[in-house]
Amino acid sequence: MITKSPEDEFLDMIQTNASIIHKVVRLYIDDPEDRKDLLQEIIGQAWKSFSSFRGEAKFSTWLYRISANTVLTYKRKQQPVPHPLDNKLHDHIAASDEVENAQAELLLAAIKRLPETDRLLVSLHLDGYSNEEVADVVGLDKPHVAVKLHRIKQQLIKMLKPHANANESVKASTKA
Amino acid sequence: MDLHKAWQDLNQPEKSENKLTKKEMTEALYKDSQMPLPGLRKRLIAKLGYLIFFTALYAGIILYVDQVFVKILFSMVVAVHAAFIVAFLAELKQLDNAGAPDASLLQTLQKYYYHVRKILKYEEWYGIVVFPIIIPASLILGQVFTDPAAEVVFTTKRLLYMIFLVAVLGPLAHFAARKMNNYAYGSYLKQLRNNIKALKS
């Protein structure tokens, strides 16, 4: 039986959980080349501390933690300030071929308009992590996380509300 | 909109942009880190080398030059350098034990903010502490080398010249170091500070 090297074992685990890294990077970086650099940096950081991964937490949670820490402590180029969620964005979504993706893009656009640390909190929450797990990743206590998540969700709903009807019309026009 | 459902659509692997190839992923394992702390660590080691080299050189001057003012002033510089060497070594040790990259986000942000700021402060303070001693010491040393037989005389003009250099160059070096650090790390420190504040709020 051929046993895998730790390197191959690690890369397999990374590939299985690649969507975590991609998603976290996407929340903070717009430039495709910068994204690639940061993806590689996260993999490098994870590999450096892979020997300390003892399996007490799920690999996905551990990777989320490394990704968040790396992205938020990386010396990033100044990102352009996103304009508010306005009609321009809706037109862009309406032009998209994939209607199912339109809602995801709209949500991503809204999340990218949140403060940096809030983006991570809501991303963990939407990925199904419990408040306790979120608290562990970010280093806050559970009630504090609950309050923050409530506040963030209110903000998101407020941002997305004006686009709810517009989004339905996109769906209808594409179906027709 | 169902936030959870919309979010799951982003998870679909075929929709992930900029996917890394297996080769790029393997390269990433051994690529030099672009994170600020390893970069500052390298800078700290270079500065440590500079301090050790000049401390040895100044110790040589103390032993070689038979002039009391030169001995006193260069001894002071050596003492200051020794203090900086100890501080830099302690900082390096702290950096190496500063915790794994899988600590919590708040701990990591605080660790980065603390260490980046501390290393930059060392650089800023070096100028203001060492320059006022090294400038007169170098001037007197120059005089001793030009005319070893002559006695070092502090005329009013020479003293005023020294005071002027010390008063101007010391703060100027400090100011320049601060400006350069602010240019290189100002917005980064602000980013860390804002994120710590936002996370705690």
Side-chain angles (χ1 to χ4, degrees), chain A:
Chain A
M1 199 175 99
I2 304 164
T3 39
K4 277 185 181 175
S5 67
E7 204 176 87
D8 285 333
E9 192 191 340
F10 172 76
L11 287 176
D12 282 350
M13 288 164 98
I14 289 286
Q15 267 175 333
T16 313
N17 294 280
S19 65
I20 292 175
I21 315 177
H22 280 271
K23 207 162 34 182
V24 173
V25 170
R26 224 175 145 188
L27 289 177
Y28 298 94
I29 309 286
D30 291 323
D31 182 75
E33 275 310 305
D34 290 346
R35 272 190 203 167
K36 275 204 167 182
D37 287 344
L38 197 47
L39 286 169
Q40 286 198 312
E41 186 68 52
I42 293 171
I43 294 171
Q45 292 293 323
W47 173 241
K48 268 181 211 153
S49 49
F50 185 56
S51 57
S52 68
F53 173 66
R54 288 179 292 271
E56 285 161 8
K58 282 186 285 182
F59 182 78
S60 56
T61 315
W62 180 81
L63 190 60
Y64 227 123
R65 192 189 276 255
I66 302 251
S67 306
N69 287 348
T70 308
V71 171
L72 286 166
T73 51
Y74 194 73
K75 202 162 172 258
R76 281 170 277 147
K77 283 182 202 154
Q78 198 74 39
Q79 297 296 305
V81 180
H83 47 76
L85 279 182
D86 55 14
N87 290 336
K88 274 184 195 164
L89 186 76
H90 175 253
D91 292 345
H92 169 73
I93 290 164
S96 167
D97 295 336
E98 298 171 73
V99 173
E100 281 306 314
N101 207 29
Q103 288 205 335
E105 290 297 333
L106 191 62
L107 175 63
L108 183 68
I111 292 176
K112 281 171 100 166
R113 279 149 182 84
L114 293 171
E116 290 192 343
T117 51
D118 287 356
R119 295 179 211 172
L120 177 74
L121 283 160
V122 77
S123 145
L124 281 158
H125 171 74
L126 292 174
D127 269 329
Y129 289 90
S130 67
N131 285 2
E132 199 170 351
E133 285 170 310
V134 177
D136 191 44
V137 171
V138 297
L140 298 175
D141 54 30
K142 207 173 129 187
H144 195 168
V145 166
V147 171
K148 279 178 92 72
L149 279 172
H150 178 74
R151 206 162 57 197
I152 296 166
K153 276 193 273 183
Q154 293 300 314
Q155 261 180 286
L156 277 179
I157 290 165
K158 199 175 158 192
M159 268 196 268
L160 293 168
K161 209 173 177 181
H163 301 273
N165 294 335
N167 203 39
E168 287 305 313
S169 68
V170 174
K171 262 188 181 175
S173 63
T174 316
K175 274 176 191 167

Side-chain angles (χ1 to χ4, degrees), chain B residues 89-124:
Chain B
L89 285 172
E91 183 60 28
L92 277 175
K93 201 178 168 190
Q94 268 194 41
L95 276 179
D96 292 338
N97 300 327
D102 56 356
S104 79
L105 178 64
L106 185 59
Q107 277 178 314
T108 308
L109 289 171
Q110 285 171 332
K111 175 185 89 180
Y112 263 76
Y113 184 70
Y114 171 78
H115 286 293
V116 171
R117 209 160 159 256
K118 198 168 160 197
I119 293 170
L120 299 181
K121 283 277 171 219
Y122 278 138
E123 293 177 357
E124 291 167 15

Side-chain angles (χ1 to χ4, degrees), chain B residues 55-72:
Chain B
T55 307
L57 184 74
Y58 296 156
I61 290 171
I62 295 165
L63 293 174
Y64 177 74
V65 179
D66 193 20
Q67 212 291 324
V68 68
F69 289 114
V70 171
K71 280 184 187 293
I72 292 170

